[in-house]
Amino acid sequence: MTKWGCDLKGFKFKERWSNNAKSYDDLLILAVLGTVCGLFSGLLMAFFYAVIYVPVRYIMASDFDAFESLPVEWRVGLSVFSCAVLAIVFLLLPSRLHKVGVPYVVERLNYHHGNLPIGNAVVQFFSAAIGLAGGLSIGKEGPAVHIGATLGSYLAEKAKLPQYGVETLLACGVAGAISAIFQTPLAGVLFAFEVIFFEYRQRYVLPVLLSSVIATLVSHNIIGPLHIFSIDAITSLSLSLDLFFACFVLVVFIVFLSAVFLQTQKNLWRLSSLPVWLRFALVALATSLAAVYLPETLGSGYLSLSRLLTGELVVYSLLLLIFVKTVLTALTIGLGIPGGMIGPTFIIGGLTGGYVALMFDSTVIDIAWFALIGMAAMMAACFQAPLTALVAIIEMTHSSQVIVPALFVIVLACLFMRVFFHQESVFVERLRFMGVSSNISAFQRYLRHHTIKPVAEEVVLLPMIVPIERVKDLASSMVDYVVFKNEDEWRLVRRIAVLDVVQTLDMGPQKWLVVSNDKVSMSLDKALISSDITVIEEPSSLETVLSWFQKTGQSDVLVSLPGSSFCLVSRHRLDQFLLENDEE
């Protein structure tokens, strides 16, 4: 059996969850599930890493991102072949499986209670691997987020968690995926809150931190330490006026490139009605031209940045490389290639920081420092995730000296993007283009974070033919309602009404009496005027049950709980609960 409540009988998982975890205090269960989510996130990301880079390293016989080392025929062939394979795959797949990536995760979180289909994650996994292996200008981080979020959603579904538990595990999956890919546990946590939830949620922090740390440990032990950037000699940083003038120049470049990156995509989204084969053919054409004339733009671009930082990059125009990489990535993603853009924005920002550093005296401005600042600023400006960007570069370089100038550049870049260009995160803009909100109202959030427990009423479950002695015992009960089943219908009646009927025995025998084997029983169906009531499975949150009331127009519903028990939820009691809490 696959249900967790059945597999972990010795721990009585389902019973414990039903009785305790539907409060805000049972962090233990969420922490355990977060740990499991982190473990599997790390394993999945290690497998994702192997699927992407092992074949590519075999072809290149060198570093995984060194597409410029291949003959031009190979570079063009790989890009055309990957686009052709992706076009065929997407033509054969049903349209519901075309939705992938971070915007899709946010949409499912806000409009489908965090339920992410596994099929879409599988498509995201292999389509991103094909694109990256073909040298397309995309990243692996966005697909990793989708895969990690789906893992969290799957675990929450199997454990039958309430809505706030689903959101917690979804955040655990996202944080675990980012942490495993970058080996940056704190940045992974911040990414989940800033980019997916668009707010910081203290209630989720501990399980999400556990998931992030476990995923990092798994990634470190399977893949090994990820030395993404080799920075051997970083000089100490002097907070001079010249430094901050150079930082302001970097802000100007970052804001310009971020605006180009976002506006290019927004223009290309209008072409989404074009056939898949045509859009992917345009990507193949653009990538092929880049493969011939500027191969450093292929792939994620990490190798180009590493070579810039070590002084090995030889390109006739670094500014041209930056601009082409920006436009090529925006074109590739904007035309629908299912890849990420977090990694490429890092690289674009790093190259820009290096370019700005070369404009100034090397004794004042260190190229490695400015590359790091540019990376953080570009990511922050494009995704409006300032803390995630800052913490990521600190964790990747194990140095905190860059904090002050980085914050200066990050804050100004984010501010200018919002004030002068009126641009939100690229993911928010994408959702807005689709006519979908990136966030939910405070009222919806409140409903999602509460289970039915505060508004549920106990009921007494009786058989339709019930002994008189048992009916009389209802006099000592404090429960207001009795339910029984008549054939395939559930019936609801007030306890006091049942007791009133029993008192009619003082007037003589009644038609509802049933005598069998010297036992006197009551036929509830004959004795009482009862009302039909619908039975539903336990909803994950108050939002679900409120939606049910609005859809059906009914005033009461019987909720089936684990252990063959029931409770009653009424619209009146729900409205009363919401009104009381609104007044508080």
Side-chain angles (χ1 to χ4, degrees), residues 480-499:
D480 290 333
Y481 291 95
V482 172
V483 293
F484 63 95
K485 193 172 185 180
N486 181 12
E487 296 180 351
D488 293 330
E489 294 183 347
W490 285 95
R491 315 289 294 183
L492 177 70
V493 65
R494 283 190 171 273
R495 175 182 63 91
I496 193 67
V498 180
L499 295 175

Side-chain angles (χ1 to χ4, degrees), residues 248 251-252 254-256 258-259 262 376-386 406-425:
F248 186 78
V251 169
V252 174
I254 291 295
V255 170
F256 171 75
S258 299
L262 291 172
M378 187 69 182
M379 179 184 179
C382 290
F383 309 117
Q384 293 297 314
L407 277 176
F408 178 80
V409 176
I410 287 171
V411 170
L412 287 182
C414 290
L415 185 64
F416 289 171
M417 287 299 295
R418 284 179 176 269
V419 173
F420 295 116
F421 292 95
H422 308 291
Q423 296 285 352
E424 297 286 342
S425 161

Side-chain angles (χ1 to χ4, degrees), residues 255-265 323 326-327 330 417 421:
V255 170
F256 171 75
L257 291 171
S258 299
V260 170
F261 185 73
L262 291 172
Q263 195 58 47
T264 301
Q265 288 195 62
F323 186 77
T326 302
V327 174
M417 287 299 295
F421 292 95

Side-chain angles (χ1 to χ4, degrees), residues 456-462 470-484 492-499 558 566-569 573:
E457 298 181 69
E458 292 185 43
V459 296
V460 176
L461 179 61
L462 294 177
R470 189 173 177 185
V471 175
K472 291 180 178 179
D473 288 341
L474 293 176
S476 60
S477 174
M478 300 297 292
V479 178
D480 290 333
Y481 291 95
V482 172
V483 293
F484 63 95
L492 177 70
V493 65
R494 283 190 171 273
R495 175 182 63 91
I496 193 67
V498 180
L499 295 175
L558 192 63
F566 296 87
C567 69
L568 179 70
V569 177
R573 187 155 178 169

Side-chain angles (χ1 to χ4, degrees), residues 16 34 105 116 152 192 228 287 294 327 334 341 432 509 518 568:
R16 173 167 169 73
V105 171
L116 286 156
I228 300 177
T287 308
L294 204 59
V327 174
M341 47 186 147
R432 186 176 296 162
D518 297 328
L568 179 70

Side-chain angles (χ1 to χ4, degrees), residues 43-356:
L43 293 173
L44 271 175
M45 292 308 105
F47 179 61
F48 187 42
Y49 189 93
V51 169
I52 294 171
Y53 293 128
V54 170
V56 175
R57 283 191 175 185
Y58 175 77
I59 294 173
M60 296 181 183
S62 61
D63 203 302
F64 61 81
D65 225 12
F67 287 97
E68 61 267 33
S69 65
L70 295 174
V72 65
E73 297 83 5
W74 272 88
R75 298 197 297 264
V76 173
L78 280 173
S79 60
V80 172
F81 179 75
S82 62
C83 287
V85 171
L86 289 174
I88 293 171
V89 169
F90 274 70
L91 285 171
L92 296 176
L93 288 174
S95 58
R96 61 183 174 81
L97 294 179
H98 292 188
K99 294 184 176 182
V100 294
V102 175
Y104 180 64
V105 171
V106 177
E107 178 191 351
R108 298 297 296 188
L109 174 65
N110 290 339
Y111 292 91
H112 301 275
H113 306 288
N115 178 26
L116 286 156
I118 295 177
N120 296 75
V122 173
V123 172
Q124 174 70 98
F125 185 100
F126 289 103
S127 58
I130 293 169
L132 286 164
L136 302 185
S137 185
I138 56 177
K140 58 185 177 295
E141 297 78 16
V145 169
H146 185 173
I147 296 165
T150 303
L151 172 63
S153 172
Y154 176 80
L155 292 176
E157 179 186 357
K158 290 301 176 183
K160 293 190 174 180
L161 305 190
Q163 184 59 37
Y164 66 85
V166 173
E167 293 182 4
T168 302
L169 278 196
L170 195 146
C172 287
V174 171
I178 289 294
S179 301
I181 287 292
F182 281 123
Q183 294 185 359
T184 54
L186 187 54
V189 174
L190 292 172
F191 182 92
F193 292 144
E194 285 192 316
V195 178
I196 304 299
F197 290 92
F198 302 103
E199 63 182 5
Y200 300 99
R201 299 189 179 180
Q202 186 177 4
R203 188 177 302 132
Y204 301 165
V205 166
L206 293 179
V208 177
L209 279 170
L210 266 175
S211 174
S212 189
V213 169
I214 296 299
T216 303
L217 289 174
V218 172
S219 173
H220 189 278
N221 283 277
I222 295 179
I223 301 175
L226 292 179
H227 299 297
I228 300 177
F229 307 107
S230 301
I231 304 176
D232 299 325
I234 295 183
T235 61
S236 59
L237 199 64
S238 175
L239 301 180
S240 63
L241 291 178
D242 290 338
L243 172 67
F244 283 93
F245 176 72
C247 285
F248 186 78
V249 174
L250 178 58
V251 169
V252 174
F253 274 91
I254 291 295
V255 170
F256 171 75
L257 291 171
S258 299
V260 170
F261 185 73
L262 291 172
Q263 195 58 47
T264 301
Q265 288 195 62
K266 290 172 74 172
N267 292 334
L268 291 169
W269 292 338
R270 300 188 179 96
L271 303 180
S272 56
S273 59
L274 294 178
V276 169
W277 66 266
L278 179 57
R279 288 186 281 118
F280 287 13
L282 292 174
V283 174
L285 176 62
T287 308
S288 297
L289 291 174
V292 174
Y293 297 106
L294 204 59
E296 291 84 0
T297 58
L298 299 182
S300 298
Y302 287 107
L303 186 60
S304 297
L305 181 56
S306 295
R307 288 180 174 177
L308 172 65
L309 297 178
T310 56
E312 298 176 12
L313 180 64
V314 178
V315 59
Y316 52 85
S317 175
L318 181 56
L319 186 60
L320 179 62
L321 170 61
I322 294 168
F323 186 77
V324 171
K325 181 68 176 176
T326 302
V327 174
L328 182 62
T329 304
L331 184 143
T332 304
I333 300 296
L335 287 175
I337 294 292
M341 47 186 147
I342 300 169
T345 57
F346 253 148
I347 302 308
I348 294 165
L351 294 173
T352 305
Y355 178 79
V356 171

